[in-house]
Amino acid sequence: STRRGMRIEPETPEFREAVLALNRIAFGGDEEAEIITRLDRDGLVLLSLVAIEEEAIIGHIMFSRLDVKVEGAAINTAALAPMAVLPDYQRRGIGGALVRTGIAGMLQQRTEAIIVLGHTEFYPRFGFRHDLVRNIASPFTAHDAFMGLELSPGALAGKAGTCTYPQAFGV
């Protein structure tokens, strides 16, 4: 996907150092870089995409396996985290392009739902809603920033359940 010379493609090993550096800059610390490293080590990464412009990594998004049960049944769910765009490139639609490309990739993998803990002004434009996950027990259930997106209609639907984050997230 190209936009003013920007393209989005799967992360490959040679991009990893740049991805970790981007996350440290965008988030102002090591936490997200460490989460990426641990998710990868634990074999939980479902999809990792990079936004590239003029051969520089300017954005990154990661989806990983998340243990979600709804009404006692396991739902094939991905966590969207982290997502980062270099500060100089923000507000240019790059984050949105990463999210849309990632959602399409998750649909291809037959993922039923995606859960994010993210900005309440940003993620709802892609269909993420708090009410879909308000009855799913997690460390973040009480926060409006805890949102779900159904890729399979009715997968979450405000039903009771549990969301257990892997150790990689440190929650």
Side-chain angles (χ1 to χ4, degrees):
S1 94
T2 312
R3 195 174 155 277
R4 277 185 268 142
M6 188 269 292
R7 67 187 193 275
I8 293 174
E9 57 188 58
E11 182 198 358
T12 52
E14 68 265 26
F15 295 147
R16 179 50 56 93
E17 280 310 311
V19 162
L20 296 177
L22 179 154
N23 277 273
R24 288 186 190 105
I25 293 164
F27 291 103
D30 288 328
E31 186 179 355
E32 285 73 16
E34 288 170 3
I35 288 170
I36 290 167
T37 302
R38 292 193 296 258
L39 286 169
D40 201 16
R41 178 198 69 202
D42 295 346
L44 296 171
V45 177
L46 296 170
L47 182 64
S48 184
L49 298 170
V50 290
I52 301 175
E53 189 171 282
E54 293 171 1
E55 302 318 302
I57 305 280
I58 58 170
H60 171 250
I61 193 168
M62 183 169 273
F63 296 81
S64 60
R65 202 174 307 284
L66 191 59
D67 178 6
V68 173
K69 291 185 179 66
V70 171
E71 294 179 344
I75 301 288
N76 188 357
T77 305
L80 189 174
M83 195 278 284
V85 175
L86 281 178
D88 288 352
Y89 292 88
Q90 289 173 8
R91 308 206 176 280
R92 286 179 28 190
I94 296 164
L98 283 164
V99 172
R100 282 190 295 274
T101 305
I103 290 170
M106 288 296 91
L107 273 165
Q108 287 180 327
Q109 293 192 28
R110 304 199 186 288
T111 303
E112 295 174 85
I114 301 171
I115 287 179
V116 69
L117 186 70
H119 293 286
T120 54
E121 300 84 48
F122 180 74
Y123 287 98
R125 72 182 73 155
F126 307 100
F128 286 89
R129 291 167 28 203
H130 175 66
D131 66 292
L132 291 173
V133 292
R134 70 179 182 274
N135 295 313
I136 293 178
S138 87
F140 309 111
T141 305
H143 301 280
D144 287 344
F146 182 66
M147 293 175 273
L149 172 68
E150 293 179 332
L151 301 183
S152 174
L156 301 169
K159 294 181 275 200
T162 58
C163 171
T164 308
Y165 281 84
Q167 283 182 312
F169 281 103
V171 295

